[in-house]
Amino acid sequence: MTNLHEALRDDVRMLGSSLGETIKAHLGDELFDKIEVVRQLAKEGRTEENAEHEELLKALRELGEDEVLPVARAFTQFLNLANIAEEHHRVRRYLEVTDVCTPDSLCTLFAQLRQKGFTPKQIADSLCDTQIDLVLTAHPTEVNRRTLIQKYDDIADCLRRLDRGDEEAQVRLDELIRQIWHTDEIRKQRPTPVDEAKWGFAVIENSLWTAVPKFLRRLDAQLNETLGERLPLDSSPIRFASWMGGDRDGNPNVTAKVTEEVLLLSRWMAADLYLKDVDALRAELSMHQASKELIERVGDCAEPYRKLLGDVRNHLQGTKNWVARQLKGDVDGDYDVYVHEEELLEPLMLCYRSLQECGMGIIAENALEDIIRRIACFGLTLVKLDIRQSSDRHAQVFEELSQFYGLGSYSGWTEEGRQSFLLKELQSKRPLFPNEWVPSDEVQEVLDTCQVVATADKSALGSYVISMASHPSDVLAVILLLREMGISHNMRVAPLFETLNDLENARDCIDALLSVDWYKAYTQGHQEVMIGYSDSSKDAGQLAAAWGQFKAQEGLTQLCKDHGVHLTLFHGRGGTVGRGGGPSHTAILAQPPGSVDHSLRLTEQGEMIRFKYGMPDLAIRNLELCTGAVLEATLSPAPGPEQAWREQMEAMAKRGLTEYRAIVRENSMFVPYFRAATPEQELAKLPLGSRPAKRRQDGGVESLRAIPWIFAWTQIRLMLPAWLGSDKALQEALNESSQSLVKEMYQKWPFFRSTIDMLEMVLAKSDRNISAYYDEQLVSEELGVLGSSLRQRLGDIVGLINKIKEQDGLLDASPVIRQSIDVRNPYIDPLHFLQAELLHRDRNQPNERLEQALMVTMAGISAGMRNTG
């Protein structure tokens, strides 16, 4: 392990040295020396006790206006390069133990399940029945430009080559760092929803396309070695879905046309990737010996496999050509296209059987098996596209329609009245929409979207998610609109419960829905419900939200069991703790018992997609962890909480909620302080994603999206959304006679342990001194009183966490994470000090160059913290 840490340190030094040479060559010795002075002073400031950073601040203040941007860029790019080295290091550590059964590997889990009395067949069958959807969401948390991400990927490849002794890789690496330095970090324009979807496809092409078959092979091998069972070729416990181009909630840029284009692009991309695979396979399968079944198909010829694969190739090319014509609006023409994945799978399986029958199994089990296993995961569309829209947009359709028909106001009807109308229309044989009706533009857009969804192939679609859904009529309205547009299958419709109030009412809402006989028949025994983490945390504070989510899942699990319906929970988690983030496998194992029953959907977004799946070996590792966690939570879940734990948690959640809202909602100084101390307003200038930063441009904190809310607090290192309210709740619990009970909950209850551990991780990234400097530069004396009190509370909760975990300092038990944060801090500090100064200048005398430097500091701090929102 020591050698591995030395290798990481050597990589960071080598990348930093190359960046230094690049900067020196471009900016000259004088500015390079200033950057070095800043770096050295920042390091010294972190090593000295209670350092005031005076020397560092003096050096930064002496920078000329033309020098601020290159200095900010230097530290930002160093942090990006350090991230690459760390990701490469994680791959190294993983590869060192890849052939060994480590405590968290699947082979260890299989052995543990055997000891608990499960038969090999039960474990293998459970794995085959598992359906995990990893849902790639539109990523307004990915700061880096796609062109730079590609260069970062190339640098990671150079590091791999250097590990293998390829000295030429150093030349390429130096060239890439120069390319990066001479490329703008910040996009000039926001990405379009189609750009976002293409970014998602690029992650699949560059990493997951390689990773998935390797992951499935490893799964098959570990099943075989540990249990003597196999993973069928057409089985994949993990599939991918996407919100990119389908999530239109609050994003007017995602139109029906965009959704149609993204659906077509995913078909084109899949056909293109399979075509490359089949071309490579044809080059290899030159053998003449074939089974009777294959010869009967292709006739007696010298190269039967190539002949059959030639037909496959023609169909894939035909599919690409057809999609290309559709994208141009040309719907005419006759093409040989693949419509169903079985059509592509069937000839490949015929080749596979023939090779096995003719004693060439080793040939069948390489490139050919990889393509077959990719089909099991990616189908013909790479991802299944989810649609998301707010319930009020669907209600608006029926509001206008009811007014047109002279039936009064749909929104004014009782819930029973709305349900009665919708159910009657669902069973009516006449059309719902009269020819002479002219809907508003907003309603027409909803109808156009439903039309696109209805005409899409079933295999291309995931779920229709309804945000702000609180009544059965919200779900029935969507089904009626899809039916009216001619959809041929019962699309899953998933209500999304987001606020604390929604979560508390979720059980009753789904109970009312499943009590409607027509709807229960529609579900065909499967109900999906989405739990929103981001907005519930912003609404109620982290502790109350986490407990509300846990109780909602418990209630829904029991309810669906009582109704005889299988429940799939869809977890809308972000990358940060304030948005439900943290290690996915830990969070899965912390769910209520019975709530993970072979199926789970989980959002993956923003920079987390790249961190977890951007390199094939890291992707394999994360896919294994996720699969193992779902299997364990299904077959051997942790017991539920004891009554005393439940009562204690209820009391802490109530106190946490009261304390959180007392500041965020009721303290009149809070919103002005938030606006003054953080770069929340300036964040709107950073072209992160296609969505507006606010749902309403005139609203306050409640209208702010969860991502910029978290982003703003992360930038100043106060990390407030992750801990506010929890501090007073934990303080009260630890001051009372319940101290031993809280410690017992941490030791024995996975949910509470996971909550505390994730809170600890985010607190380790906080910094009261940095936050105080922002206040000093930007906040009035009156508002500064609130900032000072919040920093005092931040210090208190750090002590409380250490008390619960019985440790001296944060992350004592996680030295690798602690070291990662400590190594980054000296490089982030100058960016914080520069940002506070730039915010002050930008608010008083704004100019374009200042804004550019300010945006670079935001990107750099995000890179250093490994989080945006």
Side-chain angles (χ1 to χ4, degrees):
M1 192 59 79
T2 308
N3 289 342
L4 278 180
H5 282 313
E6 283 175 7
L8 170 59
R9 195 175 60 219
D10 289 347
D11 282 349
V12 172
R13 280 180 182 156
M14 180 262 294
L15 291 169
S17 172
S18 180
L19 177 63
E21 290 301 318
T22 301
I23 293 169
K24 196 187 291 186
H26 181 225
L27 300 175
D29 289 346
E30 187 181 345
L31 187 49
F32 173 75
D33 289 343
K34 288 184 180 181
I35 292 168
E36 273 299 290
V37 166
V38 168
R39 187 179 73 85
Q40 204 53 47
L41 289 171
K43 282 185 83 170
E44 287 167 12
R46 280 287 171 174
T47 51
E48 293 169 19
E49 280 299 308
N50 302 316
E52 294 296 317
H53 296 292
E54 275 310 315
E55 288 295 313
L56 172 60
L57 290 169
K58 183 170 177 286
L60 290 170
R61 286 189 194 112
E62 286 172 357
L63 292 173
E65 193 159 302
D66 288 347
E67 294 174 326
V68 171
L69 178 58
V71 169
R73 293 191 67 224
F75 284 94
T76 294
Q77 288 306 345
F78 176 81
L79 288 163
N80 279 316
L81 293 173
N83 285 346
I84 298 165
E86 195 168 276
E87 283 161 27
H88 176 61
H89 178 62
R90 284 166 61 206
V91 171
R92 266 201 207 110
R93 283 168 55 203
Y94 167 66
L95 292 176
E96 242 204 10
V97 296
T98 192
D99 296 323
V100 183
C101 261
T102 55
D104 57 3
S105 62
L106 285 166
C107 46
T108 303
L109 173 61
F110 295 155
Q112 288 168 347
L113 291 171
R114 283 287 286 121
Q115 287 170 359
K116 290 179 179 178
F118 292 97
T119 66
K121 188 170 188 317
Q122 282 176 318
I123 298 167
D125 287 350
S126 186
L127 199 56
C128 290
D129 291 342
T130 294
Q131 186 57 69
I132 304 161
D133 279 4
L134 298 178
V135 186
L136 310 178
T137 70
H139 56 293
T141 61
E142 177 55 85
V143 173
N144 288 303
R145 291 177 60 194
R146 189 171 154 195
T147 186
L148 284 173
I149 289 169
Q150 287 164 343
K151 294 182 196 302
Y152 297 151
D153 288 345
D154 289 346
I155 287 177
D157 183 57
C158 288
L159 292 176
R160 284 192 289 275
R161 287 167 55 194
L162 285 168
D163 280 354
R164 296 195 299 266
D166 181 354
E167 291 176 14
E168 287 180 14
Q170 183 67 54
V171 177
R172 173 64 176 152
L173 190 145
D174 291 339
E175 181 201 350
L176 285 164
I177 287 174
R178 278 158 180 75
Q179 287 180 15
I180 288 165
W181 180 255
H182 291 283
T183 302
D184 280 345
E185 294 90 339
I186 308 298
R187 301 179 189 95
K188 296 300 181 197
Q189 295 140 347
R190 288 185 179 274
T192 67
V194 173
D195 291 336
E196 290 173 330
K198 286 177 179 175
W199 183 87
F201 298 152
V203 172
I204 292 176
E205 179 181 14
N206 297 336
S207 176
L208 288 168
W209 197 252
T210 302
V212 163
K214 286 185 177 178
F215 154 67
L216 294 172
R217 281 171 174 283
R218 278 177 55 80
L219 190 51
D220 177 50
Q222 290 181 68
L223 264 178
N224 189 25
E225 289 162 18
T226 315
L227 303 174
E229 295 284 339
R230 302 302 297 263
L231 182 73
L233 290 175
D234 60 355
S235 175
S236 176
I238 289 185
R239 280 199 165 209
F240 293 90
S242 175
W243 277 18
M244 301 179 196
D247 177 14
R248 60 237 314 117
D249 177 24
N251 189 347
N253 300 310
V254 181
T255 61
K257 258 183 131 37
V258 163
T259 298
E260 185 176 26
E261 184 176 349
V262 168
L263 283 165
L264 286 167
L265 282 170
S266 70
R267 285 280 302 272
W268 189 94
M269 192 74 195
D272 185 59
L273 289 171
Y274 285 125
L275 185 58
K276 289 171 186 168
D277 283 356
V278 168
D279 279 344
L281 185 64
R282 279 185 81 213
E284 293 202 356
L285 297 192
S286 55
M287 294 70 66
H288 65 273
Q289 190 180 355
S291 66
K292 184 182 174 191
E293 183 188 18
L294 177 54
I295 291 165
E296 281 175 358
R297 170 75 71 88
V298 299
D300 196 6
C301 61
E303 295 179 329
Y305 299 97
R306 284 180 169 173
K307 186 167 183 186
L308 182 60
L309 291 173
D311 188 45
V312 173
R313 188 192 190 288
N314 292 340
H315 275 77
L316 288 168
Q317 188 61 57
T319 304
K320 276 181 67 179
N321 293 343
W322 173 79
V323 172
R325 294 292 287 270
Q326 292 275 320
L327 285 166
K328 289 175 183 169
D330 181 356
V331 294
D332 296 328
D334 190 19
Y335 299 95
D336 288 331
V337 300
Y338 282 131
V339 178
H340 305 294
E341 61 188 62
E342 295 78 16
E343 297 167 344
L344 172 58
L345 185 60
E346 188 275 333
L348 297 171
M349 287 303 297
L350 175 52
C351 288
Y352 186 88
R353 288 193 300 273
S354 175
L355 288 166
Q356 291 283 8
E357 193 179 312
C358 297
M360 293 181 277
I362 196 165
I363 298 172
E365 290 158 15
N366 280 281
L368 175 56
E369 182 177 323
D370 283 352
I371 303 175
I372 293 168
R373 291 207 180 274
R374 284 185 183 114
I375 295 168
C377 177
F378 297 113
L380 287 183
T381 57
L382 291 190
V383 293
K384 291 177 180 290
L385 188 68
D386 278 8
I387 306 297
R388 181 168 77 135
Q389 182 57 283
S390 180
S391 59
D392 59 354
R393 292 294 300 274
H394 308 124
Q396 190 185 349
V397 178
F398 293 100
E399 177 65 26
E400 291 189 15
L401 201 57
S402 62
Q403 300 273 11
F404 178 84
Y405 276 129
L407 298 173
S409 169
Y410 177 84
S411 58
W413 297 350
T414 63
E415 172 60 15
E416 290 72 22
R418 287 195 293 265
Q419 281 187 43
S420 173
F421 170 78
L422 295 167
L423 285 166
K424 185 179 165 197
E425 292 299 331
L426 278 162
Q427 294 165 83
S428 168
K429 289 187 167 62
R430 64 165 173 74
L432 175 66
F433 305 128
N435 290 334
E436 59 274 27
W437 178 49
V438 181
S440 66
D441 290 347
E442 290 86 358
V443 164
Q444 188 61 55
E445 179 55 43
V446 173
L447 298 177
D448 290 347
T449 296
C450 290
Q451 178 77 60
V452 168
V453 173
T455 52
D457 192 75
K458 177 184 176 181
S459 65
L461 299 169
S463 305
Y464 196 120
V465 178
I466 313 169
S467 45
M468 299 301 168
S470 49
H471 302 290
S473 61
D474 293 330
V475 174
L476 295 173
V478 169
I479 298 170
L480 177 55
L481 291 174
L482 293 174
R483 285 276 175 103
E484 200 61 27
M485 292 301 169
I487 197 166
S488 59
H489 72 284
N490 290 5
M491 186 176 184
R492 292 193 313 269
V493 179
L496 163 55
F497 300 107
E498 298 179 87
T499 64
L500 188 61
N501 197 42
D502 285 343
L503 290 166
E504 287 169 349
N505 295 327
R507 187 195 174 283
D508 290 346
C509 177
I510 298 298
D511 189 20
L513 196 54
L514 290 173
S515 298
V516 175
D517 291 339
W518 185 92
Y519 176 76
K520 192 170 180 181
Y522 173 90
T523 67
Q524 299 170 326
H526 181 198
Q527 176 65 50
E528 183 177 311
V529 175
M530 184 168 183
I531 304 291
Y533 287 67
S534 307
D535 284 302
S536 55
S537 293
K538 186 161 74 75
D539 170 53
Q542 177 58 21
L543 197 66
W547 183 232
Q549 292 147 11
F550 188 92
K551 288 192 297 179
Q553 291 173 59
E554 272 188 326
L556 290 165
T557 299
Q558 187 57 52
L559 173 79
C560 287
K561 199 173 175 186
D562 294 344
H563 275 282
V565 168
H566 179 86
L567 172 68
T568 294
L569 285 166
F570 182 1
H571 299 268
R573 304 165 72 243
T576 57
V577 172
R579 299 183 50 243
S584 299
H585 61 287
T586 309
I588 292 165
L589 291 169
Q591 301 307 311
S595 65
V596 182
D597 182 8
H598 293 99
S599 64
L600 181 89
R601 303 189 90 219
L602 188 68
T603 55
E604 297 282 15
Q605 68 186 50
E607 78 281 10
M608 300 315 296
I609 294 174
R610 190 159 54 88
F611 292 161
K612 291 167 77 171
Y613 306 109
M615 292 183 185
D617 290 313
L618 284 183
I620 293 166
R621 170 75 175 145
N622 282 297
L623 295 173
E624 285 184 349
L625 285 171
C626 186
T627 302
V630 170
L631 182 64
E632 185 175 353
T634 296
L635 292 180
S636 182
E642 293 179 9
Q643 190 57 33
W645 303 348
R646 192 180 286 279
E647 287 167 9
Q648 181 64 49
M649 193 66 215
E650 191 67 39
M652 289 192 297
K654 275 187 181 154
R655 179 71 194 271
L657 174 66
T658 304
E659 293 289 344
Y660 177 84
R661 287 185 174 168
I663 295 289
V664 173
R665 289 193 181 182
E666 293 156 27
N667 188 321
S668 60
M669 292 201 297
F670 179 74
V671 172
Y673 173 74
F674 171 58
R675 298 255 151 88
T678 77
E680 180 260 329
Q681 306 276 55
E682 290 78 7
L683 174 61
K685 299 170 186 173
L686 193 62
L688 283 179
S690 66
R691 281 169 108 190
K694 285 187 175 179
R695 290 182 169 87
R696 297 193 319 277
Q697 293 309 309
D698 59 344
V701 169
E702 74 288 345
S703 73
L704 195 68
R705 294 196 180 281
I707 288 167
W709 165 248
I710 303 279
F711 191 114
W713 293 111
T714 303
Q715 290 279 305
I716 70 165
R717 302 291 282 277
L718 197 59
M719 316 304 254
L720 178 135
W723 61 264
L724 185 65
S726 303
D727 59 317
K728 298 293 185 186
L730 291 171
Q731 189 173 48
E732 184 176 71
L734 291 169
N735 283 343
E736 294 176 354
S737 56
S738 49
Q739 183 175 148
S740 60
L741 181 64
V742 173
K743 289 184 178 180
E744 180 188 318
M745 288 162 64
Y746 178 76
Q747 295 296 332
K748 297 182 179 177
W749 187 13
F751 162 75
F752 190 65
R753 183 165 62 250
S754 168
T755 302
I756 295 297
D757 285 349
M758 287 194 282
L759 178 52
E760 177 191 28
M761 189 168 65
V762 98
L763 289 173
K765 293 182 176 183
S766 68
D767 192 307
R768 287 188 291 165
N769 292 335
I770 294 290
S771 166
Y773 185 74
Y774 280 85
D775 278 17
E776 221 176 277
Q777 293 294 105
L778 304 167
V779 175
S780 68
E781 203 172 314
E782 183 191 5
L783 293 176
V785 174
L786 175 59
S788 180
S789 127
L790 290 172
R791 281 189 294 281
Q792 178 60 50
R793 291 175 64 169
L794 172 58
D796 292 344
I797 192 169
V798 169
L800 295 168
I801 295 297
N802 287 334
K803 197 172 184 179
I804 291 168
K805 296 193 70 170
E806 299 179 335
Q807 62 188 14
D808 295 329
L810 294 176
L811 297 176
D812 274 1
S814 306
V816 174
I817 299 174
R818 177 78 263 172
Q819 185 197 23
S820 174
I821 294 168
D822 291 345
V823 163
R824 280 176 167 71
N825 277 332
Y827 296 91
I828 310 175
D829 288 348
L831 291 170
H832 284 300
F833 296 135
L834 278 175
Q835 185 181 85
E837 175 64 30
L838 290 165
L839 283 167
H840 178 73
R841 290 193 211 171
D842 191 54
R843 289 172 185 180
N844 292 291
Q845 289 180 306
N847 68 56
E848 198 177 323
R849 197 161 177 79
L850 277 181
E851 276 190 10
Q852 178 75 4
L854 181 56
M855 287 193 279
V856 170
T857 64
M858 289 183 194
I861 292 166
S862 298
M865 300 290 284
R866 299 300 295 260
N867 284 114
T868 47

